[in-house]
């Protein structure tokens, strides 16, 4: 049975989420401004710069984190049918962002100045605080099979969008999905692996959510309106 989180831990949790929200907001907003005033390709118009900025998986992941944690700043036991989906999608996106950057991109990229700070916020602080905060404070249980299925729609939709706009602009944010350079067969193979990896992470989060001790207030919103019974 889930019991309400004691007052002190709830205060700590709300402070944790507030710091995370501030880091993400400042990092993404600052990088957005820098992207507009000092673009990699000065020939691009403002609209194209905006579209490309918000097409990056890292940016979308951090924005999902922001959307998921803002309600937790007000109520550490927050719940909601679609909030659960946003929360799980944010966990998925920011975990992949942190791992891929640390393992693949960090050795190749050496940001300086303000970019070093925004880069650290988006690729290090945000992933660590998001996952660690979820493990420490929950709230849980919140992840059901239905939530997993709906959360998977985001990376699939992101892939579809990148491929669609790429056919028009020939621009792809990451080399592994660059159809022009890799060819459709290799690019689609790589993207299929991404989807499978995403599903594996989602199932892992569901497993952990069901195994760790319950936190927060009793379930107020179930999967499809079925309440706490949906988690059994």
């Amino acid at each position: 049975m889930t019991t309400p989180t004691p007052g002190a831990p709830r205060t700590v949790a709300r402070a944790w989420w507030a710091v995370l929200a501030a880091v993400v907001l400042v990092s993404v907003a600052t990088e957005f401004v820098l992207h507009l005033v000092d673009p990699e390709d000065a020939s691009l118009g403002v609209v194209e710069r905006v579209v490309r900025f918000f097409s990056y998986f890292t940016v979308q992941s951090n924005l999902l984190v922001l959307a998921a944690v803002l309600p937790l700043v007000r109520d550490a036991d927050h719940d909601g049918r679609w909030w659960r989906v946003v929360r799980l999608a944010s966990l998925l996106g920011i975990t992949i962002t942190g791992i891929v950057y640390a393992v693949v991109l960090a050795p190749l990229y050496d940001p300086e100045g303000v970019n070093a700070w925004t880069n650290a916020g988006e690729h290090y602080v945000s992933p660590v605080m998001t996952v660690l905060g979820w493990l420490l404070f929950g709230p849980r249980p919140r992840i059901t099979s239905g939530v997993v299925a709906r959360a998977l729609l985001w990376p699939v939709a992101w892939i579809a969008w990148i491929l669609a706009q790429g056919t028009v602009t020939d621009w792809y944010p990451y080399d592994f999905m660059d159809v022009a350079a890799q060819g459709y067969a290799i690019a689609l193979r790589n993207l299929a692996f991404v989807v499978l990896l995403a599903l594996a992470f989602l199932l892992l989060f569901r497993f952990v959510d069901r195994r760790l001790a319950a936190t927060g207030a009793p379930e107020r919103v179930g999967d499809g309106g079925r309440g706490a019974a949906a988690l059994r």
Side-chain angles (χ1 to χ4, degrees):
M1 180 177 181
T2 309
T3 56
T5 307
R10 288 186 67 184
T11 301
V12 173
R14 291 173 60 197
W16 181 282
W17 300 128
V19 171
L20 174 56
V23 168
V24 172
L25 181 60
V26 171
S27 298
V28 174
T30 302
E31 187 176 353
F32 177 64
V33 172
L34 293 175
H35 184 79
L36 289 183
V37 301
D38 187 22
E40 294 182 2
D41 186 351
S43 67
L44 296 175
V46 174
V47 173
E48 292 172 294
R49 297 179 201 176
V50 171
V51 171
R52 289 192 180 187
F53 179 80
F54 288 106
S55 293
Y56 281 103
F57 190 85
T58 294
V59 172
Q60 291 193 16
S61 296
N62 275 278
L63 290 177
L64 283 172
V65 167
L66 184 62
V69 303
L70 280 177
L72 295 175
V73 175
R74 180 181 59 84
D75 177 10
D77 300 329
H78 181 77
D79 200 0
R81 182 181 181 186
W82 288 106
W83 174 82
R84 292 185 179 194
V85 178
V86 173
R87 181 74 187 288
L88 182 55
S90 72
L91 280 168
L92 168 67
I94 208 64
T95 298
I96 293 177
T97 293
I99 292 175
V100 171
Y101 184 82
V103 174
V104 180
L105 299 178
L108 307 174
Y109 183 48
D110 186 24
E112 298 178 349
V114 177
N115 284 321
W117 290 98
T118 61
N119 179 70
E122 292 178 336
H123 293 104
Y124 293 115
V125 179
S126 181
V128 171
M129 287 194 68
T130 299
V131 176
L132 184 58
W134 173 66
L135 292 172
L136 291 174
F137 308 117
R140 56 180 171 268
R142 294 293 190 269
I143 304 174
T144 66
S145 297
V147 173
V148 168
R150 287 190 283 272
L152 187 61
L153 293 177
W154 166 60
V156 172
W158 175 77
I159 289 172
W161 158 249
I162 295 300
L163 292 178
Q165 66 81 36
T167 60
V168 177
T169 65
D170 287 327
W171 175 82
Y172 299 86
Y174 307 104
D175 291 339
F176 74 89
M177 61 192 313
D178 189 335
V179 173
Q182 306 286 350
Y184 266 104
I186 295 178
L188 291 178
R189 180 203 63 189
N190 293 341
L191 291 172
F193 174 77
V194 170
V195 173
L196 291 176
L197 180 64
L199 179 59
F201 271 116
L202 291 172
L203 293 175
L204 175 62
F205 285 129
R206 180 174 184 267
F207 176 82
V208 174
D209 182 71
R210 294 165 66 91
R211 292 301 184 273
L212 291 180
T215 64
E219 244 62 48
R220 296 192 294 274
V221 179
D223 187 29
R226 290 174 292 176
L231 292 160
R232 297 182 187 139

